[in-house]
Amino acid sequence: MAYPDELLVEGEQVVLHRHPHWKMLLLPVLVFLVVVGLAAFLAALVSAQSWAAIAWIALAVVAVLVVGRFTLVPFVRWRTTHFVVTTRRVLVREGLISRSGMDIPMSRINSVQFRHTILERMLGCGTLVVESASDEPLEFGDIPDVERVHSLLYQEVADDD
């Protein structure tokens, strides 16, 4: 999905647009599977009881609340987090209801680094470290294909000079 053009300034083009790596969704998917399995198991256990209908409603309410909190919320957070590299800046946008964002102009970037663990290398993600004119380097975790992003960002910084 392309980044909305109305958020770009005149002459600015999107070079790269990423959401965080899909590994952020592993735990929410696991929670979903466990909750559904456990709810089905408990529903089967109480099916022979006279109060089974009330238990099923209670199980459904608890399951929906747990799935909503531990599966739906992380998915929406993942989907509404954007890491964008344009020809003029690096943008990070997060949130659906309460939004936050950060822009780093290419001219203010001093260095670009990446790091990833062996597990992150196998999954194809890592942490991008951008050192700008600010006091501390900014770290962006769970960037998919971090080495490619590093190269593209470095190229854009070099082209900006």
Side-chain angles (χ1 to χ4, degrees):
M1 171 170 62
Y3 196 70
D5 289 335
E6 66 267 7
L7 299 177
L8 304 176
V9 298
E10 187 175 324
E12 186 176 25
Q13 296 177 337
V14 173
V15 176
L16 177 84
H17 176 217
R18 294 274 197 261
H19 294 286
H21 194 266
W22 55 263
K23 79 174 187 172
M24 288 182 64
L25 300 175
L26 289 176
L27 186 59
V29 167
L30 181 64
V31 167
F32 176 78
L33 294 174
V34 168
V35 167
V36 169
L38 186 61
F41 175 75
L42 292 174
L45 277 180
V46 300
S47 65
Q49 305 299 323
S50 61
W51 43 269
I54 295 170
W56 289 341
I57 292 170
L59 281 171
V61 167
V62 170
V64 166
L65 291 175
V66 171
V67 165
R69 168 62 183 95
F70 296 104
T71 301
L72 189 59
V73 169
F75 175 76
V76 170
R77 185 176 298 124
W78 172 81
R79 190 71 179 108
T80 59
T81 299
H82 303 271
F83 180 82
V84 182
V85 177
T86 72
T87 53
R88 295 189 181 180
R89 58 192 166 149
V90 174
L91 301 97
V92 177
R93 298 287 186 269
E94 299 175 320
L96 178 65
I97 297 169
S98 173
R99 296 213 24 103
S100 64
M102 178 186 347
D103 295 1
I104 307 169
M106 290 294 177
S107 60
R108 309 253 315 178
I109 295 175
N110 296 332
S111 69
V112 182
Q113 304 170 22
F114 72 91
R115 66 174 179 268
H116 43 194
T117 63
I118 191 155
L119 178 63
E120 289 174 328
R121 286 182 71 187
M122 291 189 308
L123 292 174
C125 64
T127 301
L128 188 69
V129 181
V130 177
E131 187 177 321
S132 66
S134 67
D135 294 336
E136 290 188 27
L138 301 167
E139 294 189 8
F140 304 103
D142 294 326
I143 302 292
D145 200 11
V146 71
E147 289 185 56
R148 180 173 172 266
V149 173
H150 170 264
S151 297
L152 284 171
L153 185 54
Y154 183 79
Q155 181 65 43
E156 289 300 319
V157 169
D159 288 348
D160 193 52
D161 290 338

